C-alpha cells in the first residue's frame, strides 16, 4: 500500500522559512516523479514543484521560483520542499503526490500539511 506522509508545516511570519518533508513508502518509486501542490481556501489546487527520483530534473511554478527548492533523499525515500522568503499568499494546505514520469496525472496523494504565513 502506497503511503505519502507530509510533515513540517506550521505558522511562520512573512519572510521566514519552512521545510516540508514527504516520506514515501509502499513501492519502488524509481519510475515516478514527486510533486508538491498546494490549495488555499476558496482556490483551486495548484502545482508548486516536482522532481524525479532518478536524475536531476526539477520544475517549479513561476510564483515560487527562486524562493522554494525541491530535493530528495533516495536512501530515506523522502522528498523535501525548502521554502524561503515566505509570503502570506503562500498560505495553503500543501500536498505531496507521486506520478509516473511519462504520465501527466499524479496517482498517489498524501493528506497534506498546513502552512500559514502571517503578515
Amino acid at each position: 500500500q502506497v503511503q505519502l506522509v507530509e510533515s513540517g508545516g506550521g505558522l511562520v511570519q512573512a519572510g521566514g522559512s519552512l521545510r516540508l518533508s514527504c516520506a514515501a513508502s509502499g513501492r519502488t518509486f524509481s519510475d515516478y516523479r514527486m510533486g508538491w501542490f498546494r490549495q488555499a481556501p476558496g482556490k483551486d489546487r495548484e502545482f508548486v514543484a516536482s522532481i524525479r527520483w532518478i536524475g536531476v530534473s526539477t520544475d517549479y511554478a513561476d510564483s515560487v521560483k527562486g524562493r522554494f527548492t525541491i530535493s530528495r533523499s533516495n536512501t530515506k525515500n523522502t522528498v523535501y520542499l525548502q521554502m524561503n522568503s515566505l509570503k502570506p499568499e503562500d498560505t495553503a494546505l500543501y500536498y505531496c503526490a507521486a506520478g509516473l514520469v511519462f504520465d501527466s496525472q499524479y496517482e498517489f496523494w498524501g493528506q497534506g500539511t498546513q502552512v500559514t504565513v502571517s503578515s
Side-chain angles (χ1 to χ4, degrees):
Q1 179 181 358
V2 173
Q3 277 196 313
L4 303 178
V5 180
E6 304 97 334
S7 62
L11 174 64
V12 64
Q13 287 189 332
S17 299
L18 282 174
R19 189 177 81 155
L20 306 183
S21 299
C22 172
S25 62
R27 68 165 298 133
T28 300
F29 289 95
S30 57
D31 294 332
Y32 281 72
R33 70 188 184 287
M34 303 297 293
W36 284 99
F37 291 77
R38 66 187 182 185
Q39 187 167 20
K43 294 188 177 181
D44 293 334
R45 185 170 59 195
E46 64 174 356
F47 168 79
V48 176
S50 67
I51 188 169
R52 295 189 182 188
W53 281 112
I54 305 298
V56 298
S57 175
T58 58
D59 193 17
Y60 295 92
D62 288 343
S63 59
V64 306
K65 280 180 181 177
R67 300 188 299 123
F68 291 10
T69 302
I70 190 170
S71 62
R72 67 174 193 269
S73 167
N74 289 37
T75 57
K76 296 182 178 179
N77 251 24
T78 300
V79 176
Y80 305 97
L81 185 68
Q82 177 66 43
M83 305 186 296
N84 298 329
S85 302
L86 282 161
K87 305 174 181 180
E89 52 263 43
D90 294 318
T91 295
L93 188 60
Y94 282 71
Y95 296 92
C96 175
L100 287 168
V101 169
F102 299 109
D103 189 341
S104 61
Q105 301 298 313
Y106 282 80
E107 183 177 357
F108 303 108
W109 292 84
Q111 293 299 306
T113 185
Q114 178 67 39
V115 171
T116 303
V117 185
S118 63
S119 57

